[in-house]
Amino acid sequence: LKGNLAAQVGGLYKKSDQRRDSGYSIYVFSINVGAFIAPLICGTLGEVYGWHYGFGAAGIGMLIGLAVYLSGRNYLPLDTVVESKDRPKLEKGDGVVILAILVMLGLTSLYWTAQSQVWNAYPLWLRSDVDRTVFGMEVPVTWFQSLDSLAVLLLAPLVLWYWRHQSRRNAEPGDLIKLAVGCAVFAIAFALLGLGGVLSAGGSVALIWPIIFHFVCAVGFLYVGPIALALTSRAAPDSVNSMMVGSYYLAIFVGGLFSGWLARFYEVMSASEFWLMHARLLKTVSFPAVLAVVACATTGQFKDDETTVVQICSQRDPVDSCDYFGLVGLQEAIDQSTSDRRILIKTGTYTPT
């Protein structure tokens, strides 16, 4: 389900369309609307009345989602069934691009290892170690899953605004740098959980620590989740694009397996040590992987023609008012240029005459 939906989102944009990252962010934002509502309904029904009611409500929600999807099919990219002999073939250099994408997905699997603990050991910790009493009422554990999504909903517009602000100043970081930032922020979130346990001095952890944790996690997620998805969709060769977008979810699968394996240590370590272990994992393993992928990118191993950006600027205009074209659209860009406009190559080595 998720793999095909994500591939269809990528099909809404040309590879050179700068709106692709924002499009995936809006898509992930919408997913989190459901992720915010669902635990409040299904989790509350499950914890208060019985889990059969919770699962039944989830099934009804999926039927509603299917109805919405079918009613909006006219707005989606057309599905084209192509005979195997007519399908585009892998071209020279595509193998290196695929390998670089797999390295990047390996990096994100480390992120998902930590993120998956939010659905694994983290609820056990909330139930046993956190003081969840607010105004005499004990907050259900499942509501913290809603808080996780609510934080994304609240912070996504701010993060998108910040990226647009950086873009206007030609200072927006590349996708790979965003991934590195996201992993670093997520490491800080888990370090805060460990700090909360240490400061509790053996007593119940104050509710403020998991609340802060979810909001810091949301920033890390926005820098990793939609960005890795958009990067995979943009960089993957056309002949295997949908398959590579679907393979993004293999990173979640691998991360979930590793997260489950690490969860065994929750029973033999203190909670603070357990959370700090995840912070160290993100810090000591992810960053070298990021540097390796960045090295591939800077040597041209992680590019295709349409990721190179060409600026067409009027000499009278500020730089941030320039038009942007993918390298494949360079001839169109040249055709639109006039005597008072100049062509600037933002990345790559192509020099027009």
Side-chain angles (χ1 to χ4, degrees):
L1 175 66
K2 285 189 174 182
N4 284 289
L5 288 176
Q8 286 187 310
V9 172
L12 294 171
Y13 305 93
K14 294 181 179 179
K15 284 194 173 184
S16 57
D17 196 328
Q18 297 297 307
R19 298 173 300 169
R20 182 182 292 258
D21 284 2
S22 296
Y24 271 109
S25 295
I26 293 171
Y27 169 65
V28 172
F29 177 91
S30 302
I31 289 176
N32 277 277
V33 172
F36 167 68
I37 296 173
L40 295 178
I41 298 175
C42 301
T44 303
L45 287 173
E47 289 195 64
V48 177
Y49 297 104
W51 294 110
H52 292 293
Y53 294 100
F55 284 117
I60 294 172
M62 293 187 72
L63 290 175
I64 294 173
L66 177 61
V68 171
Y69 175 81
L70 293 177
S71 67
R73 281 187 299 173
N74 293 334
Y75 300 99
L76 298 174
L78 294 176
D79 286 331
T80 55
V81 180
V82 182
E83 297 291 336
S84 58
K85 60 181 174 44
D86 298 325
R87 291 175 181 171
K89 306 296 183 183
L90 287 174
E91 300 178 358
K92 183 180 179 180
D94 284 350
V96 178
V97 174
I98 293 172
L99 178 61
I101 292 174
L102 293 177
V103 172
M104 185 270 294
L105 293 178
L107 163 66
T108 58
S109 71
L110 297 172
Y111 163 83
W112 285 110
T113 296
Q115 170 65 46
S116 296
Q117 291 298 357
V118 176
W119 313 314
N120 192 7
Y122 179 71
L124 302 177
W125 177 76
L126 286 172
R127 187 176 62 184
S128 62
D129 289 26
V130 176
D131 180 6
R132 294 178 283 117
T133 303
V134 177
F135 300 119
M137 184 192 79
E138 187 173 67
V139 178
V141 170
T142 51
W143 285 18
F144 286 85
Q145 303 299 324
S146 289
L147 177 60
D148 195 58
S149 299
L150 177 62
V152 173
L153 296 176
L154 294 176
L155 294 178
L158 295 177
V159 171
L160 290 174
W161 171 84
Y162 181 60
W163 288 344
R164 286 194 295 267
H165 175 69
Q166 289 182 311
S167 179
R168 286 194 296 268
R169 296 167 46 237
N170 287 333
E172 183 178 1
D175 289 344
L176 296 169
I177 302 302
K178 287 179 180 177
L179 291 177
V181 170
C183 288
V185 171
F186 223 74
I188 293 172
F190 277 89
L192 289 173
L193 281 188
L195 178 62
V198 171
L199 295 179
S200 68
S204 295
V205 177
L207 186 61
I208 189 62
W209 290 104
I211 291 175
I212 294 174
F213 168 75
H214 283 294
F215 277 88
V216 177
C217 281
V219 176
F221 172 78
L222 290 167
Y223 269 83
V224 174
I227 299 304
L229 198 54
L231 178 58
T232 302
S233 174
R234 180 170 56 251
D238 290 337
S239 56
V240 293
N241 192 275
S242 295
M243 183 186 72
M244 293 304 297
V245 171
S247 69
Y248 164 81
Y249 292 94
L250 285 175
I252 303 177
F253 167 73
V254 173
L257 287 179
F258 191 33
S259 176
W261 183 83
L262 287 177
R264 69 177 67 186
F265 298 107
Y266 181 74
E267 298 179 350
V268 297
M269 302 172 66
S270 70
S272 295
E273 292 173 338
F274 182 75
W275 301 130
L276 291 174
M277 175 181 66
H278 286 76
R280 287 192 295 269
L281 174 69
L282 287 168
K283 174 185 175 183
T284 60
V285 181
S286 297
F287 292 165
V290 170
L291 294 177
V293 178
V294 170
C296 291
T298 56
T299 57
Q301 300 297 313
F302 201 26
K303 295 178 182 177
D304 61 16
D305 287 342
E306 291 184 336
T307 60
T308 303
V309 177
V310 179
Q311 285 184 326
I312 303 295
C313 309
S314 169
Q315 293 179 345
R316 300 189 295 267
D317 294 337
V319 173
D320 62 3
S321 68
C322 297
D323 298 321
Y324 292 87
F325 298 86
L327 189 55
V328 170
L330 181 58
Q331 187 58 53
E332 175 190 358
I334 294 174
D335 292 342
Q336 292 186 16
S337 64
T338 60
S339 58
D340 68 335
R341 295 165 72 84
R342 65 188 187 279
I343 296 178
L344 304 176
I345 303 299
K346 189 175 181 67
T347 62
T349 57
Y350 185 95
T351 304
T353 58

